[in-house]
Every structure is written in structure tokens, then in C-alpha cells.
Amino acid sequence: MLEKTFDPKSTEPRLYASWEASGAFAPSDNPGAEPFSIVMPPPNVTGSLHIGHALNSTLQDVLIRFERMRGKAALWLPGTDHAGIATQMVVERQLAQDGNINRREMGRAAFLAKVWEWKAESGGKIVHQLRKLGASCDWSRERFTLDDGFSQGVRKAFVTLYNEGLIYRDKRLVNWDPHFQTAISDLEVEQREVDGQLWHFAYPLADRSGEIVVATTRPETMLGDAAVAVYPDDERYKHLVGKQVILPIVERMIPIVADAYADPEKGSGAVKITPAHHFDDFQVGTRHDLPMINIFDEFARINENAPQAYRGLDRFAARKKVVEAVQDLGLLRGTETVRHVVPHGDRSGVVVEPFLTDQWFVNAEVLAQAAIKAVVEGDTVFLPKQWEKTYLDWMRNIQPWTISRQLWWGHRVPAWFGPDGVIFVEETEDGARDQARAHYGRDVPLAQDEDVLDTWFSSALWPFSTLGWPENTTDLERFFPTNTLITGFDIIPFWVARMMMQGLQLMGRVPFKRVFINALVRDASGAKMSKSKGNVLDPLALVDEFGADALRFTLTAMSGAARDIKLSRQRVEGYRNLGTKLWNATRFAQLNDCAREAGFSPDRTMMPLNRWIIGEMVRTAKTVTIALADCGFAEAADMLYRFIWNVFCDWYIEMIKPTLSGADIAARDEARAVTAWVLDITFKLLHPVMPFLTEELWAKTSDLGAPREQQDFLMTASWPQLAESLIDPAADVEIGLIIDAISEGRSVRQELNVPPSARPPLLVVDASERQRRTLKASAPLVAQLLRVSDVRFVSVVPAGAVSYVIAGATLALPVAEFIELTAERARLAKEIGNLGAEAEKLFRKLSNEDFVARAPEQVVEDSRERLAETKIAKSKLEAALARLLAVLH
């Protein structure tokens, strides 16, 4: 017998340990089983899992459990990412707190040893947390992006792409993070709008015939100016093109050039050109063969290319000193306050500098072509489809991908430099030495590139390197391409696009057949979660409080949101009640001796109520199966909730009680067998979403009646396949009439504030002969569930009765003696008026184009939702008032 309540804290660890020990997480070794594979987006080894990880992991587990039960060789391959810059940042911060230790003082080897210690601690915590969520991934195949096999794949990929001319080394402008002293990609740059100053400087003409005024928000960069540009057709400056100006402070001569980059409508129409410190200026400098003068070191301090007085100054101290010097020279022509966009490092939070440096690049434009074609032609599909546009827009405008990072934690670039700077790219140092020996004719000293590769370069290989590539392993043959990738929309350009490019280039195939993009989890008000706001919901704390199943069902049910999920503790608590409802229903079945019957066949049941619940079970199984197969997680959860809570518990269990306690033995036995059958199917359908509860219920009901088809874990049981011929339309009509009579009658009572203790009769006024027979036969049940005295058949609606129509039949409830009609009319009219005023207020707000354009997207969406809810509530009360007025008249 089941305990009174389900205890997740004791049950979940026990069940998970049993699952894992049994080997059930590994894919079936049946050679005839269809392969189905998912690779886990590897969480960074930088701490704990957050609620976004919980959502993503839950959806993957739902899908893998579903496909495993469908008999497929289901592989969910787990792992973690070394997360170069993020992990190095965490460890550096720890070292600073522990004793103000600097990694450069420690040396590379000692620092990396510390990072590996952190990885062991953090990575182990993440794996533990995934287990607590119920993740049924194959831990025997767990990978890490810096493990030996994966590192071999990274080196192979780099060398292959280099030999194909798709990786190259070049001196170009990159986004430089002075805090970490490393290049970062465009995607790691956060554009922030800030208040700043715009200074107008006069550059004297070299022939002393006048001056030209330029404006800048970054005065310190003028120390590296190489030219002044004007629009070619600007009549104000045509006569100056080709002349020289004197660069203030530096006293260097620089030319005036004509270039369409200079906008004659902005400022003075003349712009200073600093090719080494501005991306657009770099293009101008390239077109006009201007010198690239880098005035910063890697810490964004002024270097030796600037006048002595500025060397060693931080960029912002230099800015102040430059403005003062220009003012002292009498060349400051004005200052104005502006609001402008300034790039910041998304990890460090400091202002990013365009920085001229030697870096390794991938020719992403070439790689993108096949990746674009694969999505356009449907080789890989996005769900929801709207995210396809995000992917294609990014790919069609892709820039060279900077893949080198000036960090220590990561994959070292497999390139070695000879004494004269010649580069040898090989997978191993021995290979590089062989290549160098062939080049020089002798052994020479080689120095490996100090840089490491962008984390996203290695994680782009995740779908196939985790399966053993570059070796041709059995797993690679069987499970690549993977079937489904489930990930967040925020890393479509970071990760999804790059996996597509690498997969097609290195494997000749798309790395996954479909990409399901899950929404972003926000707090209950729609705000982004952050520690500073105090609105972070820790998934493990929610698991401890409500159990993993409650959190899993909540996230699954809410995953249908297009972009944002509004999560609250109350929602998790609410969905926990679903598990409690099913637990109690199963316990009720045990108390009433509901057991599986040997040879039971649902198509041989006789009672309409039983045939109805079997049909509902068939419809539920079909909808849930189709939804999960198509990644319709929310639709599956909604259907399961409706069936368990409303159909099975609220209606079937309540309606079958008289039969279970009645004297008709045949009817009682059939009800018991059907109840047991429905519970078995329900456990199976719910298992992917609520695995712990259902596994426990499956085990605790295994000895009731006839043996199941198999006595192993529920997670390895076969998925239900129910014939649609089991649906009985006649039973649907009959039971539907009873349910409608009760539910609509309850609505009338609730809307008109009829006291629960009141027992008016239910009057059947107008109904077909078949409907009359049904209502007469079920009269005791209807009377009990609707809380009426009895069911009577009359020809007219008497005075003081409220009528309602179901399936063409007119029913009525005499309520006048139980409520104060006039007061009730006034109450309803007042509530309708309040709702009308609220709806009008929301309508005016949403009709305001300025509000819709300027308000945060979430605020606008909330207003739309409230307007829709208000209209529905108002409509219901108006219907109730109309019923009441009919009584009064």
C-alpha cells in the first residue's frame, strides 16, 4: 500500500542510483534499434547550474526518456566545457582574494594546475546537480572539452582548416579586452549606451592657411591619427584634399584624404582617421595606404609610439591630459554632452578597445555558405521556425572569426614559430619539427604559439568529437549526425552556427537534424534574473523544496513560451499538486482493490463510463506522442495535466465511486480493471516529465493483479500504442452530457453565489429521448456531484429558476429562494463595470503607439495578457447577469 504522501527527498536519490547502476541510461545495444542521439550543451565549469540549465536539461531528458521508451537506441551524451575566459576569470578572482596572487607571477604551469583543481571541484558539482534533476544521460560517455581525445580533435580541426586555407594569421583590428589582455569576438562584446563628451579639435593646416575641425569622443586616440577624411564631393573641403595638417601635440604631418566614409551631414563633415583604433578607420586606412599606428599596450596604456609625456598612462588618464593639452594650445573649439554607445567586454565589464594585433582567424564567410544552404533546404530545421531567421541573418552577415585568445586556460594553438618567424602548423610538436627540418635542412629551436583557441572553436566540434572523431568509432558511425539539439536562442550565433559550419566542413554532413530553441527563464514579473536584484530562483533549492518532478513539469509546461518563461515558486508548488493528485488517485485505486486483470482487453469493456475513459486515454496518448515527437513539450504537458487532473481524477474517479462500492460484481470488477489499466498507461505517458514519481508508483503497483508486460523499470517499459478504434463516440456523447450538466450547473451556482449548502432540484426542461434516458439513469450521480436534491423532468422553466443549455438540452436550477436576487444583480453589475473600466484603460494604453514602441517588450505583453483575461472575466459575468435578469423578469 502506498504511503499517504510521496517523499521526493528520500525517493529521488534512491531511484536515480538504481537507474544508473542498472545501465539503463546507456543506449540499447540492439543492432535493429533506430539510433537517436542528443549531445548536451556543455555547461561551463564555472560554478553551479542555473535555472536556464535546468530548463534545457529537463527538455533534453524528457525527449530522451520518450525515445528510449519508444524502443530507440537513445543516447544522451553529457559533458562540460572548459569555458576559457570565464573559468580563467573565476580562478584569477579567487587567487586575488586568497592573497592578491597574480597569475603572471605564478607562471603558466602553476596557474593551470590551479585551474584544473577548480575544474575538478566545479565539474563534479555540476554533474551532481544534473543527477538531482533526473538527467538520464549516459555518464559512461561523459566528455570534457579539454580531455585528451577532444584535444586531439581540436588540433585535427585546426590543422585541417589551416591546410584548406580557411584558417589564417593576420594583423587586423580585433576587439581587445584590457582586463583580460585578450582578443574577444564580436559576440562577446556588449554595446552599452552611456553618457559621454564630444570634443571638437582644430587641426592646423601645414601651410598655416587655416584649420580643419574634427570631433571625437575618444581624444586619446588622436595620438595615433594617420589622416583627416572629408567627403569627396563636399565643396567646403575639395580644395584641401591632398594637403597636410599638423597633428596637435604629436606635431606629425598627416594628409587630408577624400573618402565616402566622412559624412558631410554630421558634425563639421571632417573626421579624424585612427586606423589602429577604430574598425571603420581601419578600412579607410587600408584604402588609402595609411600607417597603422598602435598607441596602446595590452593593458590599454599609452605605449612608446606616443610622445614621452603620455607613455604609461591609462587610456582615460591620457584622455584628460590630451584635452588639457589641446586646450592649452588654443585648439579646443567646443565640447558637448552626448549619449552614445560604447563597447564593453561581456565578462569583464570594461570598455573594449579596437586593437591592432596578430591573431588567428577563420574565413567564416566561406564556411557559412554550406551552413546557410543546409537550413534553407531543410537538412536542419529550427523549432520554432522563427529562429531560422536569426540564424540566417547572422550567417549572411558573418565576419572573419577571431579564434586566438591571449589566455592560458584552453587549447594551445597548434602552431610553432621558427627562428625567423616561419610558422609550422601541425597536430603535434614532433610533426612541426619534421616540417621545420624539411624547411631549414637541419633541426632548429621552435616556440609554440602562446595563445589558446576561442572556447567556441572547440565546442563547435561537440556533436562529433564527443563521439570519438577524428577516430572512426562505432559511436560516430551509429549516432552521427545527432538527431536533436536543444539550446537557448542567445547562443545561436555563438554555438549553433559554428557547429553547423564545422560539421559540414569537417564531416560533410549537418551535425544535427533539428534545433529546438528553448525560451529564457525570467522571474514572475518578467524581469531577467540577477543576484543584484535578488530574484534568482536556484533550481536545486526548488528541487529540495518541491522535488525534481515538480520543477521539471513546471519548466516543461511553460516551455511553449516563444521567448520568455515567467517562473515563480507558486507555479512550481502548483504543479507539485499534480503529482500529489495522481499519488492520491493511485492510493484510492489500491484501497478499492483496483488491479490488473489477466487477459484484460479494453475493447471488451461494457460500461459507457469505462469506454469513455478508455477513449480519453487513447486521445491523450496520441496527442502526447505526437507532441513529444515534434518537441511540443508544453503541449504534451498541458494534455497530461488535463487528463490526470480533470478527466481522470475530477471526473472518472468521482463518477466511478458508486460502482466500486456497489453490489454489481461484474461492473465493479470491470471498473477496477479499467482503473488499473488507465493508471499503467498514465504512468508511462507522464514518466518522461515526472520520472521519479511515476517510477515509484510503477514499482509500488507492480504486484497488483496480473503481471505487467515487463517487470523492469518504468523508464525501460514500452511506450503506449493504443488503437483509435477504442474510442466510442456513443460513450463520449453520453458521458459528455452528464459532465456538461454538472459542470455548467456548478458554473451557474458559482456565478450567482448560490450557497454550497443549498440543494435545489435540477430540472430537465427540454431534451431528446436519449438525453432524458441518460440523465434519468445517472440522476443519483448528478445529484451527488452537482449538490442538488434530485433530478426532475418538467415541461417549462418555473419562476425563480435559471436555465442553461448543454448539447441542445435545456436544464434549469431554481435558485430564487437561496439568493437575494436584487443584491446579486447589483454585485454583478458593479463587477462588470469595474472590469469594463480596466479593459478600457488597458485598451487605451495598447492603442498608444508610443507606449508600444518604447515600453519593454515584456510590459507590453503583460498588458495584452491582462486585457484578454479581463475581457474573458467580463464576458462570464455578463452571461451570469443575463441569466439572473431572466429570473427577475
Side-chain angles (χ1 to χ4, degrees):
M1 174 61 65
L2 286 176
E3 297 81 3
K4 285 191 175 181
T5 57
F6 174 64
D7 178 22
K9 287 190 175 180
S10 62
T11 305
E12 290 176 357
R14 169 175 55 79
L15 286 177
Y16 194 92
S18 298
W19 287 333
E20 188 172 1
S22 74
F25 294 162
S28 165
D29 56 8
N30 176 6
E34 177 187 343
F36 183 93
S37 55
I38 299 175
V39 288
M40 175 186 293
N44 296 344
V45 286
T46 50
S48 301
L49 295 179
H50 54 65
I51 197 69
H53 289 129
L55 168 65
N56 187 261
S57 298
T58 294
L59 297 184
Q60 291 175 81
D61 194 47
V62 169
L63 188 58
I64 210 72
R65 285 179 182 272
F66 166 67
E67 296 294 2
R68 184 184 290 126
M69 292 177 76
R70 290 219 289 176
K72 296 183 182 179
L75 169 63
W76 182 17
L77 200 150
T80 49
D81 195 307
H82 68 281
I85 196 167
T87 305
Q88 184 161 319
M89 177 178 71
V90 169
V91 177
E92 285 195 64
R93 189 183 296 142
Q94 285 183 338
L95 290 171
Q97 291 171 348
D98 291 345
N100 200 25
I101 304 170
N102 184 288
R103 69 177 167 99
R104 297 182 188 278
E105 295 169 359
M106 292 180 69
R108 188 167 192 146
F111 176 75
L112 289 179
K114 280 288 183 185
V115 185
W116 277 107
E117 286 178 19
W118 163 258
K119 183 267 172 187
E121 176 188 337
S122 177
K125 182 190 293 186
I126 287 168
V127 166
H128 168 71
Q129 291 170 332
L130 285 167
R131 284 179 158 92
K132 282 199 73 171
L133 285 169
S136 63
C137 35
D138 185 355
W139 295 110
S140 70
R141 287 173 164 87
E142 182 183 356
R143 301 301 300 272
F144 176 55
T145 52
L146 273 177
D147 66 31
D148 289 341
F150 206 95
S151 297
Q152 180 190 354
V154 171
R155 293 190 296 270
K156 174 75 172 179
F158 186 96
V159 173
T160 300
L161 295 177
Y162 177 82
N163 290 336
E164 292 172 348
L166 295 168
I167 285 181
Y168 58 94
R169 187 170 172 82
D170 195 9
K171 185 181 287 293
R172 295 175 59 93
L173 274 193
V174 296
N175 298 297
W176 186 265
D177 188 317
H179 176 78
F180 293 115
Q181 300 97 54
T182 181
I184 59 177
S185 74
D186 293 343
L187 293 167
E188 295 165 298
V189 175
E190 184 181 292
Q191 301 294 345
R192 299 183 190 171
E193 194 174 25
V194 300
D195 291 322
Q197 298 288 313
L198 183 67
W199 289 271
H200 298 264
F201 293 165
Y203 287 11
L205 294 170
D207 61 8
R208 305 296 178 180
S209 62
E211 64 184 28
I212 191 165
V213 177
V214 299
T216 181
T217 57
R218 305 175 68 223
E220 67 279 11
T221 63
M222 72 173 290
L223 302 175
D225 280 0
V228 171
V230 297
Y231 193 72
D233 298 327
D234 193 330
E235 294 296 335
R236 294 171 296 174
Y237 302 119
K238 268 188 174 182
H239 65 290
L240 297 179
V241 174
K243 289 192 173 186
Q244 302 277 316
V245 296
I246 301 171
L247 180 62
I249 302 175
V250 183
E251 296 296 314
R252 187 173 67 243
M253 299 287 222
I254 60 175
I256 299 173
V257 299
D259 196 282
Y261 168 63
D263 188 343
E265 303 298 323
K266 287 186 178 179
S268 67
V271 292
K272 60 188 282 301
I273 302 299
T274 318
H277 297 291
H278 191 283
F279 287 101
D280 292 326
D281 291 10
F282 179 82
Q283 299 299 327
V284 176
T286 302
R287 286 194 291 270
H288 296 275
D289 198 24
L290 299 174
M292 307 284 177
I293 305 167
N294 186 357
I295 60 159
F296 290 135
D297 66 11
E298 63 269 28
F299 295 93
R301 299 175 303 208
I302 304 300
N303 66 17
E304 69 280 358
N305 293 329
Q308 181 68 44
Y310 298 87
R311 294 174 189 172
L313 288 179
D314 175 77
R315 53 187 163 163
F316 298 116
R319 175 177 297 179
K320 184 178 179 183
K321 189 166 183 175
V322 165
V323 172
E324 289 172 352
V326 172
Q327 188 169 20
D328 290 344
L329 290 169
L331 298 174
L332 180 61
R333 295 293 177 261
T335 305
E336 55 185 295
T337 300
V338 295
R339 187 141 182 93
H340 62 139
V341 173
V342 176
H344 289 70
D346 66 349
R347 295 283 184 184
S348 66
V350 304
V351 175
V352 168
E353 287 291 343
F355 192 61
L356 188 65
T357 179
D358 289 311
Q359 300 288 343
W360 291 95
F361 296 88
V362 171
N363 190 336
E365 185 179 1
V366 171
L367 289 180
Q369 299 313 305
I372 290 169
K373 182 181 179 185
V375 170
V376 170
E377 295 185 353
D379 296 333
T380 295
V381 297
F382 279 79
L383 300 172
K385 189 174 174 59
Q386 70 200 56
W387 294 112
E388 182 181 299
K389 183 178 185 302
T390 301
Y391 169 88
L392 291 174
D393 286 350
W394 167 255
M395 295 295 262
R396 285 166 176 159
N397 295 282
I398 203 163
Q399 299 297 310
W401 173 15
T402 314
I403 57 169
S404 44
R405 297 288 183 270
Q406 289 65 54
L407 303 171
W408 287 353
W409 174 244
H411 296 277
R412 284 281 291 272
V413 174
W416 285 261
F417 296 91
D420 55 356
V422 173
I423 301 174
F424 303 97
V425 174
E426 286 290 338
E427 293 181 44
T428 64
E429 185 173 355
D430 286 344
R433 292 195 179 283
D434 290 343
Q435 197 183 114
R437 191 179 303 112
H439 176 78
Y440 293 107
R442 67 184 190 284
D443 287 330
V444 296
L446 296 178
Q448 186 174 0
D449 195 317
E450 291 288 321
D451 292 351
V452 300
L453 291 165
D454 176 17
T455 297
W456 298 106
F457 182 86
S458 51
S459 59
L461 313 177
W462 191 249
F464 46 96
S465 197
T466 50
L467 296 171
W469 185 86
E471 300 300 324
N472 188 25
T473 64
T474 302
D475 274 359
L476 189 64
E477 270 190 38
R478 190 180 191 196
F479 294 110
F480 187 84
T482 62
N483 186 281
T484 304
L485 175 72
I486 299 178
T487 190
F489 62 80
D490 51 331
I491 57 173
I492 290 174
F494 279 101
W495 192 43
V496 178
R498 287 164 175 173
M499 284 190 288
M500 287 289 287
M501 290 190 289
Q502 297 282 56
L504 285 160
Q505 186 65 29
L506 297 171
M507 301 295 294
R509 290 178 286 175
V510 294
F512 25 75
K513 298 167 187 174
R514 63 181 176 179
V515 182
F516 178 81
I517 301 296
N518 59 248
L520 178 69
V521 185
R522 296 182 178 271
D523 72 8
S525 64
K528 188 173 182 179
M529 293 185 189
S530 71
K531 290 180 181 177
S532 61
K533 292 179 182 177
N535 64 346
V536 172
L537 288 173
D538 179 355
L540 278 303
L542 292 171
V543 169
D544 287 340
E545 185 172 2
F546 300 111
D549 286 329
L551 177 60
R552 287 169 63 105
F553 197 98
T554 305
L555 294 170
T556 305
M558 300 178 71
S559 65
R563 195 177 179 93
D564 296 329
I565 290 174
K566 294 183 199 173
L567 185 65
S568 66
R569 289 179 68 261
Q570 290 74 19
R571 284 185 181 269
V572 182
E573 185 176 15
Y575 283 118
R576 178 188 61 183
N577 294 340
L578 175 69
T580 302
K581 191 93 167 174
L582 181 60
W583 183 271
N584 291 339
T586 308
R587 197 164 186 273
F588 167 84
Q590 285 186 331
L591 289 168
N592 283 274
D593 298 320
C594 297
R596 289 178 301 281
E597 181 183 280
F600 172 77
S601 179
D603 62 352
R604 292 202 294 267
T605 53
M606 303 299 294
M607 291 175 58
L609 181 58
N610 291 331
R611 296 184 70 79
W612 168 76
I613 194 63
I614 289 168
E616 288 291 323
M617 186 81 266
V618 171
R619 291 188 187 92
T620 300
K622 180 180 179 181
T623 300
V624 170
T625 302
I626 292 172
L628 291 182
D630 293 339
C631 294
F633 302 105
E635 183 184 355
D638 288 347
M639 190 65 180
L640 286 165
Y641 188 97
R642 172 192 169 275
F643 177 81
I644 294 167
W645 192 290
N646 302 113
V647 176
F648 183 62
C649 294
D650 282 358
W651 289 114
Y652 180 74
I653 292 292
E654 292 303 316
M655 294 169 76
I656 206 68
K657 283 179 179 178
T659 303
L660 291 173
S661 60
D664 187 334
I665 296 174
R668 190 172 62 219
D669 288 348
E670 181 179 290
R672 287 170 172 169
V674 168
T675 301
W677 179 84
V678 170
L679 282 171
D680 270 3
I681 303 297
T682 302
F683 298 156
K684 289 182 177 183
L685 295 178
L686 184 60
H687 177 77
V689 188
M690 300 182 92
F692 294 108
L693 174 85
T694 52
E695 189 72 76
E696 185 73 349
L697 288 172
W698 182 263
K700 290 292 179 69
T701 58
S702 63
D703 59 348
L704 295 182
R708 290 193 176 105
E709 57 186 281
Q710 72 184 87
Q711 292 294 329
D712 294 336
F713 289 120
L714 172 59
M715 71 172 290
T716 56
S718 58
W719 188 255
Q721 294 182 330
L722 306 178
E724 290 193 47
S725 60
L726 292 172
I727 297 173
D728 183 349
D732 290 346
V733 170
E734 185 170 334
I735 304 305
L737 179 72
I738 298 169
I739 289 173
D740 289 348
I742 297 168
S743 58
E744 284 298 308
R746 286 172 175 173
S747 295
V748 169
R749 296 185 63 130
Q750 182 181 4
E751 290 164 1
L752 298 181
N753 273 347
V754 177
S757 59
R759 291 290 188 274
L762 175 64
L763 307 179
V764 180
V765 183
D766 182 25
S768 68
E769 187 58 36
R770 182 175 180 180
Q771 289 173 328
R772 285 174 176 273
R773 284 199 305 269
T774 297
L775 292 171
K776 186 174 183 179
S778 60
L781 180 64
V782 172
Q784 178 186 342
L785 297 181
L786 185 51
R787 303 172 75 89
V788 295
S789 60
D790 57 2
V791 178
R792 303 175 189 173
F793 296 84
V794 300
S795 56
V796 295
V797 178
V802 175
S803 63
Y804 60 96
V805 178
I806 56 160
T810 302
L811 310 182
L813 285 171
V815 296
E817 65 180 286
F818 302 108
I819 60 175
E820 177 54 57
L821 297 176
T822 304
E824 189 59 27
R825 179 175 65 178
R827 181 188 71 83
L828 288 171
K830 182 179 178 181
E831 288 191 27
I832 290 167
N834 291 340
L835 289 170
E838 175 67 11
E840 179 61 27
K841 179 181 174 183
L842 290 167
F843 178 76
R844 284 200 305 269
K845 182 189 285 189
L846 290 166
S847 298
N848 184 335
E849 293 182 5
D850 190 54
F851 166 75
V852 174
R854 292 178 178 274
E857 182 182 342
Q858 195 58 53
V859 172
V860 176
E861 188 57 35
D862 286 345
S863 297
R864 289 190 178 117
E865 287 179 11
R866 288 208 320 274
L867 177 58
E869 290 166 0
T870 303
K871 284 181 175 179
I872 291 170
K874 180 171 176 281
S875 177
K876 286 183 177 180
L877 291 184
E878 285 172 340
L881 181 58
R883 285 178 176 142
L884 188 62
L885 291 174
V887 174
L888 288 168
H889 293 91

